Amino acid sequence: DLVRSRGLGDVYKRQLLFVPWMYGERTPFPNPHVRGAFLNLSLEHGPEDMVRALYEGVGYNLRWTLDAFDDAGHACRKLRAIGGGAQSDTWMQTLADITRTTVERVAAPQLSGAIGAALIAGVGVGAIRDVLAIKSLVPVERRFDPNASVRSIHETRYRTYRDFAPTLAHLVSRTGAHV
C-alpha cells in the first residue's frame, strides 16, 4: 500500500486536499460542471501524498453526504464496503476516521457485484425469503472503527474541504468549462 510508506503526521502536515469531482457532482453538492482538483499541491508532494489525498477526498465527500442524510433524519450508523477499493485497509480506516462511522468490509469485496446479483436471483426464485434476509448471508471480513486520535485533524480538514467546494464551483464556471 503506497500510503503506508509515510507516517500519518507527515502526510497531514503537508495539507494536500483532493476534490474528487471528475465528472461533476450530484450529492451533496449538485453541480454537473464542477471538476476535481488538488489544493496545495507542490513539488514537496509525492505519489503517496496524492493517494492519501484521493482517499481523504472521497472520504470527505462521503462524510458530506452522510451529514446530509443525518440532517434529514436518516442517520447512518454503519457502512458496508464493497468493490476493489475495499481491499485497502488504509482506505477503509481513513473512511471510518473521516465519517466517524464504523466501516465493515464484506468478504471477497471485489466480487460483491456478482454475489449481490446471485443473492437477488435467489430472492427471485424463492431460495431466499426476501431482500432483508440477504444481509445475514453476506459475511463481514473486517471491521474498521473510527480512530479518535485523528478526529480533530479530520474535522479541520473536512471544514476546509466544505469551504473549498463553492469556491471551486465558482472558478470552474468562470472558465466556461462544461461537460
Side-chain angles (χ1 to χ4, degrees):
D1 195 332
L2 184 62
V3 177
R4 284 192 197 152
S5 66
R6 181 172 269 181
L8 288 179
D10 191 32
V11 172
Y12 292 137
K13 188 171 64 179
R14 292 171 183 255
Q15 297 299 316
L16 182 63
L17 284 175
F18 176 67
V19 180
W21 303 329
M22 305 310 284
Y23 289 106
E25 182 54 24
R26 293 148 310 281
T27 303
F29 181 69
N31 185 328
H33 305 296
V34 73
R35 290 294 179 261
F38 281 98
L39 176 64
N40 287 336
L41 182 62
S42 75
L43 293 176
E44 294 178 9
H45 293 106
E48 64 277 0
D49 297 306
M50 295 177 81
V51 171
R52 163 71 62 188
L54 185 143
Y55 285 177
E56 290 176 348
V58 171
Y60 295 134
N61 211 67
L62 177 59
R63 161 91 182 268
W64 197 353
T65 301
L66 293 174
D67 285 352
F69 275 103
D70 193 34
D71 292 346
H74 304 287
C76 180
R77 307 208 192 308
K78 233 184 259 183
L79 297 171
R80 285 262 172 120
I82 63 172
Q87 295 176 92
S88 168
D89 289 355
T90 303
W91 198 356
M92 295 302 97
Q93 187 61 57
T94 300
L95 289 177
D97 294 343
I98 289 171
T99 63
R100 304 168 305 174
T101 306
T102 296
V103 174
E104 297 177 337
R105 176 174 53 218
V106 301
Q110 71 281 13
L111 301 176
S112 56
I115 292 168
L119 291 169
I120 292 295
V123 172
V125 299
I128 299 171
R129 184 181 71 250
D130 58 32
V131 292
L132 297 177
I134 290 175
K135 183 177 180 181
S136 66
L137 300 174
V138 180
V140 171
E141 176 187 277
R142 182 159 176 205
R143 179 183 161 122
F144 300 86
D145 293 312
N147 179 351
S149 70
V150 295
R151 184 173 186 151
S152 65
I153 293 169
H154 285 303
E155 289 301 313
T156 300
R157 292 170 63 76
Y158 175 60
R159 283 192 304 274
T160 302
Y161 180 90
R162 292 263 322 245
D163 291 345
F164 184 54
T167 302
L168 178 62
H170 174 72
L171 292 173
V172 168
S173 71
R174 285 179 45 195
T175 68
H178 293 96
V179 176

